[in-house]
Amino acid sequence: SYYNAVCQSVGLNPLTQPFAYLVLNNKEILYAKREATEQLRQVHAVSIQIMAREVMGDCYIVTARATLPSGRQDENIGAVPIANCSGDARANAMMKAETKAKRRVTLAICGLGMLDETEVASIPGATPPEPVIQIREPPVAGPSAPVVTSSPVATRSELLPSVRTGEIRTGS
């Protein structure tokens, strides 16, 4: 599947579900979760350094620099509005800006030009796809009911071919 191919291309473990889908303009797109950027930093030995923290107008902006062992570097920012924030809300916004900068620069230096989960919430109209319900029989025989779990990996479009055959499968 596309999901597994993306994971394999950058050395990520698909079992940890480092990506998720969201619907934007009636199209499902893949975005990177925290698990993706943490694995990328580990796998590719990405070093992160905060270069600047500043308040500019109503925004708090953090600049992060990523460096690979080869010496290659990249910089990116994370910006969040702080105009109406105080106390814990302001502190959380400032931490979000730092997290956003680190994740964005990690994705950039690893060649993944995609959204990360800190950006998804700020996109008007972006919604996660409806979860796909996966039904598995319990491992032991008996009168118990099937186990129902939610699978964020499988999307409606990945399941459509299986409807004809009666099989329910995930995106792997």
Side-chain angles (χ1 to χ4, degrees):
S1 75
Y2 174 74
Y3 187 96
N4 286 336
V6 172
C7 287
Q8 184 179 7
S9 73
V10 291
L12 299 181
N13 180 354
L15 298 177
T16 63
Q17 299 179 352
F19 301 107
Y21 287 96
L22 69 92
V23 177
L24 185 60
N25 299 324
N26 295 322
K27 187 176 183 180
E28 286 184 354
I29 63 169
L30 206 57
Y31 71 92
K33 295 174 26 184
R34 174 182 51 90
E35 292 85 349
T37 53
E38 288 178 0
Q39 284 183 54
L40 286 168
R41 281 197 287 269
Q42 178 71 32
V43 168
H44 299 288
V46 177
S47 174
I48 305 287
Q49 182 179 4
I50 300 300
M51 303 306 293
R53 292 177 177 94
E54 58 188 320
V55 175
M56 200 178 274
D58 292 342
C59 289
Y60 181 68
I61 302 169
V62 175
T63 304
R65 176 182 290 162
T67 306
L68 293 176
S70 67
R72 181 171 167 253
Q73 295 183 333
D74 201 344
E75 285 190 8
N76 226 310
I77 67 164
V80 294
I82 57 168
N84 299 320
C85 297
S86 62
D88 282 348
R90 188 176 180 98
N92 287 335
M94 295 170 92
M95 289 186 291
K96 182 177 180 179
E98 187 164 320
T99 300
K100 193 179 225 182
K102 288 178 176 180
R103 290 186 184 169
R104 292 185 77 214
V105 76
T106 299
L107 292 170
I109 202 159
C110 293
L112 289 172
M114 62 173 45
L115 295 172
D116 78 272
E117 69 184 334
T118 63
E119 298 172 302
V120 170
S122 64
I123 299 174
T127 58
E130 295 173 23
V132 174
I133 302 300
Q134 175 185 5
I135 301 175
R136 289 185 286 130
E137 293 298 324
V140 292
S144 61
V147 177
V148 177
T149 61
S150 175
S151 173
V153 175
T155 62
R156 290 183 309 278
S157 59
E158 290 172 325
L159 288 177
L160 288 178
S162 65
V163 171
R164 288 182 227 115
T165 63
E167 296 177 20
I168 296 182
R169 58 184 170 85
T170 62
S172 52

